[in-house]
Amino acid sequence: MLTGMQIAVLGGDARQLEIIRKLTELDAKISLIGFEQLDHAFTGAVKEKIDEVEFNAVDAIILPVPGTNLEGEIETIFSNEKIKLTEEALKETPSHCKIYSGITNKYLSEITSSAERELIQLFERDDVAIYNSIPTVEGTIMMAIQHTDFTIHGSNLIILGLGRVGMSVARTFHHLGARVKVGARKSEHLARITEMGLIPFHMDDLEQEVSNSDMLINTIPAKVVTAGVIAKMPAHTLIIDLASKPGGTDFRYAEKRGVKALLAPGLPGIVAPKSAGQILANVLSQLLLNDLTSRKE
């Protein structure tokens, strides 16, 4: 149980509702900032404006998956108010206060470091990434069906990257009957692709490999789908880029060439916000329980 723990939840989307629900069930006291338009009430949770929060009593701050923007502002779908997290607010918190976010950026990393508060990026964790790969794959299948006039079964599919998302995407599309080739650089990844019954190729050979592709799914957060690669693709190829913004595709050249290219980061929160929220809630609650237990010892 999280009895006695004071947690501030700042902004976010529908995923945050599952987090709030889970934490209130564990008896935490919650300050909700950026939720004044939310009709649902949670026992143990109080709606506040950010200048009303007593940060000196806050044990943990939970931010939305994107964290803040580069000006420190926090996105929320349940408020029209501007919410900004500042270094001054963090310095008011107790020294044990931790900040939880999906990802970070220069601003958020700098203010947490300057305030000497620990920042935990949930999306850097293997467990969160692996669980999130499930709704990511489902959303990718949905996009593939919506934006093509051929079946996945029998199509020529190229997947770039064999990380936690790439592996799940490759396995699922293979089971759906696609002819799957996977591009990677590490020798152990190329070996794993072979072991999975798929066709491996080195990323250096990407331009040669796309000549008969029907779809290309990128999971690598670097500019790998270049103009040179797109120029070698058939015009009907669909590109789905799952990498975090700005993606790994030259979208300008794809449009010029007439190749449909879709940037689709954050699919779990779009196609399955309830499930995506439950994934974060379960991991967060365990981290908070561990933190509370260690402080009591």
Side-chain angles (χ1 to χ4, degrees):
M1 299 295 284
L2 296 173
T3 306
M5 197 170 201
Q6 182 70 46
I7 301 170
V9 179
L10 277 62
D13 54 27
R15 286 173 284 188
Q16 301 299 86
L17 303 185
E18 297 302 318
I19 294 170
I20 297 163
R21 183 175 290 110
K22 178 78 171 181
L23 299 185
T24 52
E25 286 174 0
L26 291 171
D27 200 31
K29 293 180 180 178
I30 312 288
S31 294
L32 302 178
I33 299 96
F35 290 88
E36 67 267 12
Q37 294 176 0
L38 179 66
D39 293 332
H40 188 87
F42 294 94
T43 303
V46 179
K47 297 176 186 177
E48 296 184 84
K49 294 188 181 298
I50 195 161
D51 55 5
E52 297 171 345
V53 179
E54 296 181 2
F55 281 101
N56 59 2
V58 170
D59 300 303
I61 295 173
I62 297 174
L63 301 177
V65 167
T68 70
N69 65 16
L70 291 173
E71 285 73 48
E73 293 178 353
I74 294 166
E75 187 178 344
T76 177
I77 66 171
F78 300 107
S79 173
N80 293 323
E81 301 267 333
K82 276 193 176 179
I83 304 169
K84 182 172 182 177
L85 183 65
T86 64
E87 182 181 332
E88 291 71 31
L90 294 182
K91 285 181 175 178
E92 288 181 32
T93 62
S95 59
H96 64 258
C97 178
K98 294 180 180 178
I99 293 83
Y100 297 88
S101 177
I103 57 176
T104 190
N105 57 30
K106 186 171 183 287
Y107 175 88
L108 184 56
S109 295
E110 284 183 353
I111 65 168
T112 50
S113 176
S114 296
E116 298 181 347
R117 297 296 181 267
E118 185 176 352
L119 173 64
I120 296 173
Q121 298 177 61
L122 297 173
F123 277 24
E124 290 294 308
R125 294 176 56 91
D126 283 339
D127 52 0
V128 172
I130 292 168
Y131 286 133
N132 262 332
S133 72
I134 299 167
T136 297
V137 170
E138 291 188 10
T140 306
I141 294 168
M142 176 190 73
M143 295 182 72
I145 293 170
Q146 286 178 334
H147 294 280
T148 57
D149 58 1
F150 50 84
T151 61
I152 293 171
H153 188 283
S155 64
N156 293 313
L157 174 62
I158 289 178
I159 295 170
L160 304 183
L162 197 75
R164 296 160 300 195
V165 172
M167 184 176 291
S168 296
V169 171
R171 182 188 299 113
T172 305
F173 276 83
H174 172 61
H175 289 322
L176 289 173
R179 292 187 286 267
V180 179
K181 294 194 286 189
V182 185
R185 293 193 183 278
K186 294 181 180 179
S187 59
E188 60 267 33
H189 285 179
L190 295 169
R192 178 61 68 189
I193 294 161
T194 303
E195 182 273 332
M196 292 170 69
L198 310 178
I199 303 168
F201 68 89
H202 197 280
M203 286 295 296
D204 289 346
D205 300 324
L206 179 57
E207 285 192 19
Q208 291 74 50
E209 295 291 340
V210 299
S211 60
N212 68 338
S213 59
D214 296 311
M215 282 188 284
L216 182 148
I217 299 172
N218 177 53
T219 69
I220 301 172
K223 191 58 72 68
V224 289
V225 189
T226 61
V229 171
I230 296 168
K232 300 290 177 63
M233 290 177 173
H236 73 267
T237 302
L238 172 67
I239 300 171
I240 302 176
D241 199 324
L242 302 178
S244 54
K245 290 181 181 180
T249 300
D250 188 333
F251 290 97
R252 183 202 63 81
Y253 184 75
E255 183 178 8
K256 181 179 180 181
R257 170 96 202 287
V259 172
K260 184 175 287 188
L262 308 171
L263 179 60
L267 276 179
I270 297 169
V271 301
K274 185 179 180 71
S275 295
Q278 289 171 344
I279 290 166
L280 293 172
N282 290 335
V283 173
L284 259 173
S285 59
Q286 191 57 57
L287 291 174
L288 292 165
L289 282 165
N290 293 344
D291 187 38
L292 186 60
T293 301
S294 65
R295 285 195 281 116
K296 287 181 176 178
E297 289 176 353

